[in-house]
Amino acid sequence: MLLLTIDWSFIIEKLILISVILGASLGVATYATWGERKVAAWMQDRKGPSRAGPFGLLQPIADGIKLFFKEEIIPTDANRFLFILGPSLAMLTACMASAVVPWGPSIELESGRVIALQVADINIGILYVFGVVSVGVYGIMLGGWASNNKYSLMGSVRAASQAISYELAMGISLIALLMMTGTLSLAEIVNQQHGFWENGWFTWNVAKQPLGFIIFLVCAFAELNRAPFDLPEAESELVAGYHTEYSSMKLGFYLFAEYVNLFISSAILITLFFGGYNFPFMDQVAGSVSPIVFSAICVLVLMTKTIMMILFFMFIRWTIPRFRYDQLMNLGWKSLIPLALVNMLITGAIIIWVLN
Amino acid sequence: MQELTNKRVAVDRKPMTFMERLYIPTIIKGLFITVGHIFKKPATISYPEQQRPFSPVFRGLHILNRDEQGREKCTACGLCALSCPAEAITMEAAERVKGEEHLYKEEKYAAKYEINMLRCIFCGLCEEACPKDAIYLSETVAQANYSRKSFIYNKEDLLIPNPNETH
Amino acid sequence: MNPHQLVFWILSVIAIGGALGVILSRNPVASVLFLIVTFFAVSGHYILLNAQFLAIVNIIVYAGAIMVLFLYVIMLMNLNGDVEPQKSKLLQFAGIISGGILFLVLLAAFKTTQLNTTPINASTSIGLISELGQVLFTRFVFPFEISSILFLSAMVGAVVIGKKD
């Protein structure tokens, strides 16, 4: 009786979608490690990984195999349960955020069934992402504390305070955007950015909220613990930060979760500010091809934009030196939060007095 | 005092202007530099397959020379050991006996000839000092190894192969 | 038993188990972690009531921010199970008495309450963000603004305390 009330075909459809998205994000994250090393090498006039396979394309697989076969060390005085929970949580939260990203427009089959290329279109989509991100810091905190090592502890303390500080500015900068869109659902936000040019102005949100975008971007760097804000793992000060004591695949999980996070947050940045899967002249394209092909094109467009965003993150990482900790906190609390508040006020004023 | 170069710049301790405190223009400037480097030719070469040409004055591992008939040129005079500033060369002389004329060019030869490559500074003074043109510095570098002992190269390691011997 | 009820019971067991874990575990870090589990279960209950906004805000604010700060402080002070101060017998006795009195009061209150048996309609959209915003800024605008002033005063107080003089 209980089993009959469940729509099994719906569950199977979602399961397939989830596995495809998880597979894709893990694949992209794998090759993001390769891309990072290549970009770093090119920027420093080097060649980067080039031995494993053509252009070193098998390098990430070799790295993964190496990490799997490394000896696993758990420090004697470490809290075993939390020590294992840390990287698992990091990986879990990294993968969870992908659930609300709309990867493409819905496909309508001939049978009338509509397949959404989004795992869950919940009406609090962007808040869900915030929730997952704010829980994500536990992975780092617990791992660092459970290692029973002062460098790890310092790393996790830094990660926690950094995450909390920048979450505020991130949230406030997003409020301005949400006041313009009037919805929290990511699918709805993407639909509003349809095409590229309408009524004499760009439809993409980056043209409507340039300041909000810059604040959001800076906060995304801080939330991802990426350079120039990679203080939790500042190797010149903290050995390796929160993963000093980690080895084998648990270390791999931490490093990998970072790249999954990079991919997902790039996708969310694109969805929020760069029109998601929308592209110029999409209506003309939609008219001339079948719906499934059109959806595939849209997914490809989103992936291309996301990969460009990831490349931008990498360019920044290999361009700017690391911030000092007080500089980081000053930037967050004294610059970004007031700026975000001003941006919110200006947006509100414009909405009330100009757009109405 | 006269300056040696004109590169001295006084440290600027003025507070940053508003544009400088924005960071973003400087970041974009930096991005142009780093992204520009992506399109430059990498300075790295894939070493074992590709090798850089040695410069004409390069001084690498030593070789002991033979003459056209494949006889060792070295007479164990000791001038190379004497000239060596790092004292890396040791040798023991021996007299040539009858029937060894096809092996050694002169009446005296080096029975033992060792160069400690860990001491050698590859200055090339031994090459300069040799009156018989017996020792030369080649265009190879010493191979890495696991033990110190393996860096003491003896005569068999240093001698060039005999052109008359067929293997 | 429909799926709704099944999920409800599972969440309730997790929530109560987590809450018991908070007060029974001797390691403060474990307590904090149990509290986070409880928050997640409570958020699950909110979702069952279709109050998605409340659920996610509960996670962001309580599990994501406040508990991180709790954990932060506990980690920095290095509180472990064995450094927990032992309360004197007198204090324990006073605790039992006051707890028992509170229990009696609660029991009496429960006995006199009329059980409202009309089930809450889960399909209502009162928990969604637009309806919640409407209610907050029309019917409850005064208490809402008062509470924001309360938060503002707390922030000012924190700045004053934290300022170097």
Side-chain angles (χ1 to χ4, degrees):
Chain A
M1 197 57 218
L2 184 65
L3 299 181
L4 282 177
T5 52
I6 301 171
D7 182 1
W8 284 106
S9 64
F10 174 77
I11 285 187
I12 288 168
E13 174 198 314
K14 288 296 179 197
L15 274 182
I16 293 172
L17 190 64
I18 290 171
S19 9
V20 168
I21 288 173
L22 272 188
S25 34
L26 293 184
V28 170
T30 312
Y31 276 91
T33 61
W34 173 83
E36 176 113 87
R37 293 169 69 177
K38 273 289 187 195
V39 165
W42 288 334
M43 283 192 156
Q44 296 160 358
D45 291 344
R46 295 186 284 114
K47 285 192 166 172
S50 61
R51 294 283 158 177
F55 307 108
L57 275 173
L58 298 178
Q59 188 67 46
I61 296 163
D63 287 341
I65 293 171
K66 186 198 85 168
L67 281 172
F68 261 115
F69 286 107
K70 282 264 175 179
E71 187 189 352
E72 193 154 35
I73 301 165
I74 297 181
T76 332
D77 283 342
N79 186 328
R80 279 186 72 92
F81 177 70
L82 295 183
F83 192 78
I84 298 169
L85 186 70
S88 321
L89 258 183
M91 199 67 194
L92 175 77
T93 50
C95 294
M96 261 168 70
S98 64
V100 290
V101 179
W103 300 96
S106 305
I107 309 169
E108 199 170 346
L109 298 180
E110 271 115 52
S111 58
R113 191 181 173 80
V114 177
I115 297 177
L117 291 184
Q118 183 185 19
V119 176
D121 181 18
I122 45 181
N123 71 358
I124 44 157
I126 190 64
L127 283 181
Y128 168 83
V129 175
F130 265 79
V132 171
V133 168
S134 62
V135 173
V137 74
Y138 282 116
I140 294 176
M141 279 197 87
L142 292 180
W145 182 78
S147 306
N148 202 12
N149 174 321
K150 55 189 154 198
Y151 293 115
S152 306
L153 183 65
M154 285 301 290
S156 54
V157 162
R158 281 182 177 196
S161 45
Q162 178 176 329
I164 288 180
S165 308
Y166 276 76
E167 226 162 67
L168 286 177
M170 199 180 205
I172 299 171
S173 75
L174 208 60
I175 287 176
L177 177 77
L178 298 177
M179 289 198 305
M180 301 201 81
T181 59
T183 176
L184 287 168
S185 152
L186 284 171
E188 191 59 37
I189 290 175
V190 172
N191 277 335
Q192 287 174 1
Q193 305 178 64
H194 187 79
F196 184 65
W197 184 272
E198 200 177 38
N199 302 330
W201 192 241
F202 302 100
T203 54
W204 292 1
N205 281 331
V206 65
K208 297 173 181 166
Q209 278 288 334
L211 185 59
F213 167 67
I214 290 171
I215 297 169
F216 192 88
L217 186 69
V218 174
C219 296
F221 273 103
E223 290 284 320
L224 285 171
N225 295 332
R226 271 189 82 77
F229 303 128
D230 57 345
L231 288 124
E233 44 194 304
E235 65 275 355
S236 49
E237 304 151 30
L238 298 179
V239 189
Y242 56 87
H243 53 60
T244 305
E245 293 284 356
Y246 279 89
S247 59
S248 180
M249 206 50 207
K250 291 206 280 296
L251 174 69
F253 260 37
Y254 267 130
L255 303 180
F256 207 59
E258 219 161 276
Y259 282 96
V260 176
N261 269 329
L262 176 65
F263 170 62
I264 302 293
S265 49
S266 296
I268 286 166
L269 257 166
I270 292 294
T271 306
L272 286 176
F273 288 98
F274 284 93
Y277 51 76
N278 294 300
F279 53 95
F281 309 113
M282 64 187 297
D283 292 324
Q284 286 89 322
V285 174
S288 56
V289 294
S290 71
I292 292 184
V293 176
F294 177 68
S295 287
I297 293 174
C298 287
V299 173
L300 272 182
V301 167
L302 178 67
M303 288 311 263
T304 318
K305 286 184 191 174
T306 308
I307 287 168
M308 280 158 73
M309 200 73 217
I310 293 177
L311 281 178
F312 177 72
F313 272 89
M314 289 175 181
F315 290 163
I316 290 285
R317 168 164 182 186
W318 298 103
T319 302
I320 308 174
R322 186 179 295 135
F323 273 54
R324 221 170 50 210
Y325 202 71
D326 59 324
Q327 289 171 333
L328 173 85
M329 283 295 154
N330 275 342
L331 181 72
W333 287 97
K334 293 187 186 164
S335 308
L336 290 182
I337 289 179
L339 256 183
L341 283 171
V342 168
N343 183 40
M344 190 175 86
L345 287 179
I346 293 173
T347 312
I350 288 176
I351 287 175
I352 290 174
W353 285 309
V354 182
L355 296 182
N356 278 4
Chain B
M1 203 183 95
Q2 201 194 341
E3 285 188 19
L4 293 173
T5 61
N6 55 354
K7 288 180 181 167
R8 198 175 71 166
V9 183
V11 179
D12 187 9
R13 294 206 189 278
K14 272 186 298 194
M16 287 193 286
T17 60
F18 179 70
M19 276 307 277
E20 282 171 333
R21 278 196 297 155
L22 273 185
Y23 289 124
I24 291 170
T26 352
I27 289 174
I28 291 171
K29 223 159 78 186
L31 269 179
F32 268 105
I33 293 172
T34 44
V35 173
H37 271 270
I38 290 181
F39 304 104
K40 285 189 181 158
K41 203 174 155 288
T44 323
I45 55 163
S46 312
Y47 167 63
E49 297 95 54
Q50 264 178 305
Q51 299 202 348
R52 281 186 209 285
F54 286 111
S55 78
V57 293
F58 181 83
R59 299 187 294 261
L61 277 185
H62 312 67
I63 52 163
L64 284 177
N65 223 349
R66 296 175 192 266
D67 68 357
E68 309 80 54
Q69 293 149 37
R71 299 180 296 183
E72 289 172 19
K73 277 182 166 182
C74 179
T75 61
C77 63
L79 279 178
C80 49
L82 196 66
S83 69
C84 184
E87 296 182 357
I89 304 178
T90 48
M91 65 182 74
E92 268 169 31
E95 204 145 334
R96 185 178 70 181
V97 293
K98 269 236 157 23
E100 284 182 338
E101 283 87 357
H102 65 289
L103 288 177
Y104 310 112
K105 198 179 172 196
E106 318 244 343
E107 292 90 61
K108 198 164 141 247
Y109 68 96
K112 212 175 107 191
Y113 192 99
E114 284 179 356
I115 303 182
N116 187 342
M117 291 301 171
L118 293 174
R119 298 200 66 146
C120 178
I121 58 171
F122 300 97
C123 60
L125 283 183
C126 45
E127 191 181 4
E128 305 261 329
C130 186
K132 298 287 179 189
D133 283 347
I135 187 163
Y136 278 99
L137 266 61
S138 65
E139 289 196 335
T140 47
V141 286
Q143 298 290 311
N145 216 321
Y146 290 104
S147 67
R148 288 179 160 265
K149 204 169 181 183
S150 61
F151 282 102
I152 299 172
Y153 283 47
N154 54 26
K155 204 170 84 173
E156 284 68 44
D157 301 322
L158 295 165
L159 265 176
I160 58 169
N162 192 340
N164 299 337
E165 263 175 39
T166 48
H167 290 286
Chain C
M1 192 145 88
N2 60 23
H4 240 255
Q5 280 171 322
L6 185 70
V7 176
F8 171 81
W9 283 111
I10 294 172
L11 283 174
S12 306
V13 168
I14 295 174
I16 293 172
L20 285 177
V22 175
I23 50 171
L24 291 182
S25 63
R26 293 192 73 80
N27 188 341
V29 174
S31 288
V32 170
L33 294 179
F34 274 120
L35 194 52
I36 295 164
V37 170
T38 314
F39 280 137
F40 270 95
V42 171
S43 279
H45 280 302
Y46 281 136
I47 290 174
L48 279 188
L49 296 171
N50 210 22
Q52 300 178 358
F53 179 71
L54 273 183
I56 205 72
V57 164
N58 186 40
I59 286 178
I60 294 176
V61 174
Y62 285 96
I66 293 180
M67 294 326 286
V68 170
L69 289 177
F70 266 58
L71 205 56
Y72 187 102
V73 171
I74 288 172
M75 282 179 181
L76 277 186
M77 291 168 71
N78 202 16
L79 294 176
N80 286 320
D82 28 287
V83 296
E84 201 184 355
Q86 292 299 313
K87 303 280 189 307
S88 71
K89 277 273 178 322
L90 192 68
L91 270 176
Q92 284 179 355
F93 189 66
I96 290 169
I97 296 272
S98 50
I101 290 171
L102 181 67
F103 181 69
L104 277 179
V105 171
L106 279 179
L107 206 64
F110 271 125
K111 201 160 175 293
T112 51
T113 355
Q114 293 290 324
L115 264 183
N116 189 1
T117 47
T118 46
I120 292 167
N121 191 0
S123 66
T124 179
S125 56
I126 186 68
L128 301 188
I129 183 163
S130 47
E131 279 73 12
L132 200 70
Q134 289 289 348
V135 172
L136 271 186
F137 281 97
T138 51
R139 245 179 89 190
F140 297 111
V141 66
F142 186 66
F144 183 65
E145 293 299 330
I146 288 284
S147 63
S148 62
I149 288 172
L150 189 70
F151 282 127
L152 188 68
S153 63
M155 274 164 73
V156 171
V159 170
V160 167
I161 292 171
K163 228 174 91 173
K164 282 184 224 143
D165 40 10

